[in-house]
Amino acid sequence: MGSKHSDSSPSAAAVAVDDPAKVRNVVLVGPSGSGKTTLAEALLATTGVLTRAGSVTEGTTVCDHDPAAVRQQRSVGLSVAPVRHGDIKINFIDTPGYADFVGELRAGLRAADAALFVVSAAEGVDATTVALWQECAAVGMPRAVVISRTDHHRADVLNEIAACQEAFGAGVVPLYLPGDDGGLVGLLTTDDERYAEQRDQLIEGIIAESEDETLMDRYLNGEEIDQATLIADLETAVARGSFHPVLPVCAATGTGLPELLDGIARAFPSPLEHPLPEITGVDGIPHPRLAPDPEGPLVAEVVRTAVDSYVGRVSLVRVFSGTLRPERPVHVSGHGMADRGHEDHDADERVAHVYSPLGANLREVPYCVAGDLCALTKLGSAETGDTVSAPEHPLLVAPWDMPEPLLPVAVVPRSRSDEDNLARNLNKLVAGDPTLRLERNAETHQLVLWCMGEAHADVVLARLRAGGAEVDTEPVRVALRETFAAPAKGHGRHVKQSGGHGQYAVCDIVVEPLPRGAGFEFVDRIVGGAIPNQFIPSVEKGVRAQLERGLQAGHPVVDVRVTLVDGKAHSVDSSDAAFQTAGSLALKDAAANGRTSLLEPVDEVRIRLPDEHLGTVLGDLSGRRGRVLGTEADSAGHTVIRAEVPSTELLRYAIELRSLTSGTGTYSRRFCRYDPLPQALAAQAR
């Protein structure tokens, strides 16, 4: 983030904003290939921030500065492109459109006050974009639509507007339409009769959101409503999240870019109109709701963390309250993300400099007020999702919803030196990417990275290798269990005489299977002092240790009752260690004499998908040895499937479900229990 990536250099220095009312934070949302990054680049050039626009295919854009983004020719991370339009600063937040990087999109939504959906005039509206629209609607995020790539030979703007209205529902109304001269016709200002119907729909839609209940009657009675009133009501309607203007643009020719900038500046909500997230003290006690006041208590949130080879850790921050200034102490708090490998932490640090980020470029500014975005460097403890506040009054912002990574990738360092580099780089990656979960599996002895999908895994591995850690991947192993399939007897004899004190311990046990999930029971049935009381716990300790080590297949043994029924001891040579060994040997003997079986973990999964894919997914679950528990309607056109599926069948399900449902299906999983592994699979696992 500290090095210049684009060959189109910034032509203007960053200027700090004093008033939150002069800020617009707009996140660009849409599928890969819709033209979000190209649009951001064109807006930077149009406003004079860049001398010329870069190219996605050439790898020279400001926003796609990550080497993985250049290689894949698509965004893989969030990036900020600030511009000025008049006295308004607009922070365009470019986000990836591919599903693997939805965590970056969620961060962008957190940093923004409105969303601009970018839809290609040549591609239509896909199901993933509709799902994102619904996600924004659920949190009340104000939205507008840009029809991009209008110069494409298959572009059909009117058809695309109709598709957006059908896909996104009520409130989607064009603000501009293509004109005869290649430019745009503003429906609020035109008196061309050819656009009378669309103009009436727009004005009626705006007035319907007005707080002036007399306005509609006046309009229907033929009164001309002045433009200032309509624009004010348009801004109110957009801020409420109930009215969604549509604008066609062309990044290549510049058509629509001035109108888009003007519309954002005049009609999009400022941070003053966007409620702040829930805030508590670091002790969890709720804090009174704050406003985006530059003079208020400092509350800011790290929405993205990157590690730059020149300046180290770079934290992209949204300031919610107060003002961030250089050379000031701050408190960094991170709580509530322990399940992702982010242990709770609190630290006092010092802000050296405050920067306005422009892609990878950092341009120093004297301060950053509430409502604005900035970048801080060298906050050693700051991770994505952390809160930055005043040391004398530390606060905590409630974390946003993070998607669960469900694709496991096992990595192995190639050499001893790679082990050190791997450990160092993993800490950096986990600090910056809440959608990446690190697991060191004590049973399979594998280092597993839980990723969002193959593209995400590819980026993670590339960043590890770029950091000097050469790693390979290997098949992920699922931790199995072993149990007894029938009662069995075991005899353990540990007798050694080699001069001095010998070792003497003999024990006899009976092992019985217990119901799944019952655990381990140890029963003492010794009579007549065959084994002295002080050595009975030693037998149990030896049995427990062997249960952990496993028997024939080397997997931990579960759900058994071990009954100690007889044994022998020596007055001199018996000891705690000897009876531990005898207990272990007795369990091994029981396994050799009896029948054991392997158990596999079974997960309960919840799959949400559009109804048209229900039959396909149900058939696929059957092929995965899944057991469907039930289905239920979730919302219009969507169903939730509850099923139990062996964990071994879910290793690549994150990818395969996406393929089965054209990217529209999602699922969650949680451990349920262990079940016997089918005989054919058990033979392969032994």
Side-chain angles (χ1 to χ4, degrees):
M1 233 177 168
S3 60
K4 181 170 71 64
H5 173 77
S6 174
D7 63 1
S8 46
S9 304
S11 62
V15 179
V17 177
D18 294 307
D19 183 359
K22 303 295 186 183
V23 176
R24 304 289 184 270
N25 296 308
V26 181
V27 60
L28 302 179
V29 180
S32 290
S34 61
K36 300 184 299 297
T37 300
T38 301
L39 174 61
E41 198 76 9
L43 290 165
L44 289 168
T46 296
T47 54
V49 177
L50 297 181
T51 54
R52 66 183 182 86
S55 164
V56 171
T57 55
E58 295 174 6
T60 55
T61 64
V62 163
C63 291
D64 282 353
H65 51 82
D66 190 294
V70 174
R71 186 178 72 254
Q72 296 185 14
Q73 294 193 4
R74 64 181 173 195
S75 300
V76 300
L78 175 156
S79 192
V80 179
V83 305
R84 279 190 168 271
H85 184 70
D87 62 348
I88 300 295
K89 178 186 180 184
I90 305 173
N91 290 314
F92 286 106
I93 305 166
D94 188 23
T95 63
Y98 195 64
D100 278 19
F101 308 106
V102 67
E104 298 282 334
L105 169 63
R106 297 264 179 94
L109 292 173
R110 179 63 158 230
D113 302 306
L116 193 62
F117 276 72
V118 182
V119 179
S120 169
E123 300 297 334
V125 182
D126 66 358
T128 303
T129 306
V130 175
L132 293 175
W133 182 275
Q134 293 169 346
E135 185 173 325
C136 290
V139 297
M141 173 70 77
R143 285 146 286 152
V145 180
V146 158
I147 308 297
S148 66
R149 303 179 66 193
T150 57
D151 59 332
H152 195 279
H153 67 278
R154 290 190 287 106
D156 188 333
V157 173
L158 295 180
N159 185 64
E160 197 62 33
I161 291 173
C164 289
Q165 291 172 329
E166 181 179 354
F168 300 148
V172 177
V173 182
L175 197 59
Y176 292 87
L177 289 174
D180 296 334
D181 59 355
L184 298 182
V185 175
L187 296 181
L188 278 182
T189 57
T190 185
D191 54 5
D192 191 325
E193 288 301 316
R194 292 176 297 172
Y195 301 98
E197 182 179 350
Q198 293 97 327
R199 184 174 188 272
D200 287 343
Q201 289 176 353
L202 172 63
I203 293 176
E204 289 174 15
I206 294 173
I207 291 175
E209 298 292 333
S210 174
E211 296 177 356
D212 185 348
E213 297 179 357
T214 69
L215 206 57
M216 182 64 77
D217 290 336
R218 289 160 49 195
Y219 177 71
L220 294 176
N221 289 331
E223 181 178 335
E224 188 70 24
I225 309 300
D226 68 275
Q227 209 176 119
T229 299
L230 291 174
I231 290 174
D233 286 339
L234 172 63
E235 193 275 341
T236 300
V238 172
R240 284 175 177 168
S242 57
F243 188 83
H244 317 292
V246 183
L247 301 86
V249 302
C250 180
T253 65
T255 301
L257 298 184
E259 290 84 353
L260 175 59
L261 291 165
D262 195 51
I264 291 173
R266 300 177 69 182
F268 274 39
S270 76
L272 297 173
E273 299 164 87
H274 192 69
L276 270 60
E278 178 184 340
I279 297 172
T280 68
V282 293
D283 54 7
I285 297 176
H287 189 278
R289 184 165 292 279
L290 295 174
D293 180 3
E295 302 301 322
L298 177 63
V299 178
E301 185 174 32
V302 180
V303 294
R304 189 170 196 268
T305 306
V307 179
D308 185 270
S309 56
Y310 297 101
V311 299
R313 187 172 295 195
V314 180
S315 303
L316 177 64
V317 170
R318 162 75 189 251
V319 182
F320 288 115
S321 172
T323 300
L324 264 174
R325 300 182 186 277
E327 302 300 332
R328 301 288 177 89
V330 294
H331 184 84
V332 178
S333 294
H335 292 252
M337 294 274 291
D339 60 331
R340 297 297 180 89
H342 299 251
E343 297 299 328
D344 290 356
H345 54 275
D346 289 276
D348 287 341
E349 302 208 34
R350 188 173 188 83
V351 172
H353 302 277
V354 178
Y355 299 95
S356 173
L358 173 60
N361 297 278
L362 299 178
R363 303 170 299 165
E364 193 164 357
V365 290
Y367 50 80
C368 181
V369 301
D372 205 357
L373 305 178
C374 66
L376 307 177
T377 58
K378 301 179 181 178
L379 290 182
S381 64
E383 301 179 353
T384 301
D386 282 4
T387 303
V388 178
S389 57
E392 65 275 10
H393 191 194
L395 296 172
L396 191 66
V397 177
W400 64 86
D401 289 336
M402 302 288 184
E404 185 70 23
L406 294 168
L407 178 68
V409 178
V411 296
V412 182
R414 291 183 183 174
S415 67
R416 179 62 61 87
S417 63
D418 290 321
E419 288 182 12
D420 297 334
N421 287 332
L422 178 61
R424 184 170 58 253
N425 280 277
L426 280 175
N427 291 333
K428 295 176 182 178
L429 287 178
V430 172
D433 187 353
T435 64
L436 176 66
R437 180 161 59 87
L438 176 62
E439 176 191 2
R440 291 181 172 88
N441 194 303
E443 294 183 33
T444 65
H445 307 292
Q446 286 187 306
L447 177 63
V448 180
L449 305 177
W450 287 85
C451 304
M452 296 297 298
E454 285 185 308
H456 185 212
D458 179 61
V459 169
V460 169
L461 293 174
R463 287 174 178 166
L464 286 175
R465 290 163 181 150
E470 286 300 324
V471 295
D472 296 313
T473 62
E474 64 179 5
V476 176
R477 297 188 291 271
V478 173
L480 303 178
R481 296 288 186 267
E482 200 169 356
T483 194
F484 279 73
K489 295 179 179 180
H491 177 71
R493 185 175 187 274
H494 181 61
V495 178
K496 287 188 178 181
Q497 296 292 336
S498 57
H501 281 300
Q503 299 181 47
Y504 189 96
V506 178
C507 64
D508 292 285
I509 62 172
V510 175
V511 185
E512 303 167 88
L514 292 176
R516 293 286 76 79
F520 168 66
E521 293 180 16
F522 183 82
V523 180
D524 172 17
R525 289 280 188 267
I526 292 294
V527 294
I531 297 177
N533 287 338
Q534 70 265 31
F535 295 134
I536 290 174
S538 303
V539 176
E540 180 180 355
K541 190 181 298 183
V543 169
R544 284 184 179 273
Q546 191 61 52
L547 290 174
E548 287 297 319
R549 290 192 294 269
L551 297 170
Q552 297 172 344
H555 301 293
V557 181
V558 297
D559 302 337
V560 293
R561 178 189 293 121
V562 174
T563 303
L564 179 61
V565 295
D566 201 1
K568 294 180 181 179
H570 189 277
S571 60
V572 176
D573 293 340
S574 290
S575 65
D576 169 65
F579 271 100
Q580 284 191 47
T581 302
S584 171
L585 291 172
L587 189 65
K588 288 182 177 179
D589 187 56
N593 296 333
R595 289 190 298 113
T596 61
S597 64
L598 288 179
L599 304 175
E600 63 177 341
V602 175
D603 288 353
E604 181 178 329
V605 299
R606 292 177 60 88
I607 307 166
R608 184 180 186 273
L609 72 166
D611 292 344
E612 62 262 30
H613 300 295
L614 182 59
T616 302
V617 171
L618 288 174
D620 178 74
L621 286 174
S622 176
R624 295 175 188 276
R625 301 185 286 127
R627 184 168 71 93
V628 176
L629 303 177
T631 62
E632 58 187 40
D634 178 61
S635 62
H638 283 76
T639 295
V640 172
I641 303 171
R642 288 179 54 248
E644 292 176 350
V645 185
S647 299
T648 53
E649 302 287 348
L650 295 173
L651 292 177
R652 295 182 60 80
Y653 196 57
I655 301 167
E656 289 149 354
L657 178 64
R658 190 178 296 168
S659 175
L660 290 170
T661 62
S662 302
T664 59
T666 59
Y667 85 105
S668 61
R669 58 187 285 187
R670 66 177 182 84
F671 172 74
C672 183
R673 65 177 180 278
Y674 283 92
D675 274 352
L677 191 65
Q679 189 171 357
L681 296 177
Q684 298 173 17
R686 290 185 185 275

